[in-house]
Amino acid sequence: MELNTIKPADGSKHAKRRVGRGIGSGLGKTAGRGHKGQKSRAGGYHKVGFEGGQMPMHRRLPKRGFKSALLKYNAEITLSELQALDLAEVDVLALKQVGLVAQIVKNVKVIKSGELSKKVVLKGVGATAGAKAAIEAAGGQVA
């Protein structure tokens, strides 16, 4: 192989479309833009969602719903989930390792749902008033 024999693969190179270069080219006169109208003119276009002055869809439809960013960083666990754990001391890191809460979670709160019969010590984990009473009744504590 010599440098003067190298050529690109078949079909990889093709001539650029030259619009507005006469009738014989197939792209003369209107140069593929059709006749008249905003899209046929230089610089004539509109922003995304524009509907010709009609109230656009994204403004006609009602706005609904809201997802609080707090939901991403806060999590709740139940007394029954605590009961199922084989841990005497429970903190946020332990809950992440077990897979009860997501890795992104920063705050965890125990809610009173289900039963707790074993002693559990909570460290750095919040609890509702009912959950705290149930944990202390089982011999545990909320630190």
Side-chain angles (χ1 to χ4, degrees):
M1 179 166 45
E2 302 291 324
L3 283 176
N4 64 335
T5 62
I6 296 173
K7 63 177 191 166
D10 289 335
S12 67
K13 295 288 208 173
H14 50 86
K16 187 179 170 200
R17 184 189 328 208
R18 299 180 71 222
V19 297
R21 293 294 184 276
I23 290 171
S25 70
L27 287 167
K29 195 183 170 216
T30 55
R33 287 172 171 259
H35 293 277
K36 299 187 184 175
Q38 187 177 23
K39 290 193 216 172
S40 73
R41 311 192 191 287
Y45 223 71
H46 49 77
K47 59 187 169 197
V48 175
F50 183 70
E51 297 183 20
Q54 170 177 298
M55 186 62 70
M57 182 73 78
H58 65 89
R59 290 188 60 199
R60 284 199 303 268
L61 297 176
K63 310 295 183 273
R64 301 190 58 242
F66 171 76
K67 282 204 172 179
S68 175
L70 297 175
L71 293 175
K72 198 185 307 183
Y73 302 111
N74 298 330
E76 293 176 346
I77 62 167
T78 62
L79 290 175
S80 52
E81 288 171 332
L82 273 182
Q83 178 71 28
L85 288 178
D86 295 330
L87 300 170
E89 282 192 5
V90 176
D91 60 350
V92 178
L93 185 64
L95 293 171
K96 287 180 182 180
Q97 287 171 344
V98 173
L100 260 180
V101 296
Q103 293 295 324
I104 196 170
V105 167
K106 290 184 171 67
N107 304 316
V108 179
K109 195 173 216 179
V110 179
I111 59 172
K112 187 184 178 204
S113 176
E115 298 295 319
L116 182 69
S117 59
K118 67 177 191 175
K119 182 181 174 183
V120 176
V121 177
L122 297 183
K123 291 194 173 180
V125 176
T128 61
K132 187 175 180 181
I135 291 167
E136 289 171 350
Q141 64 179 23
V142 179

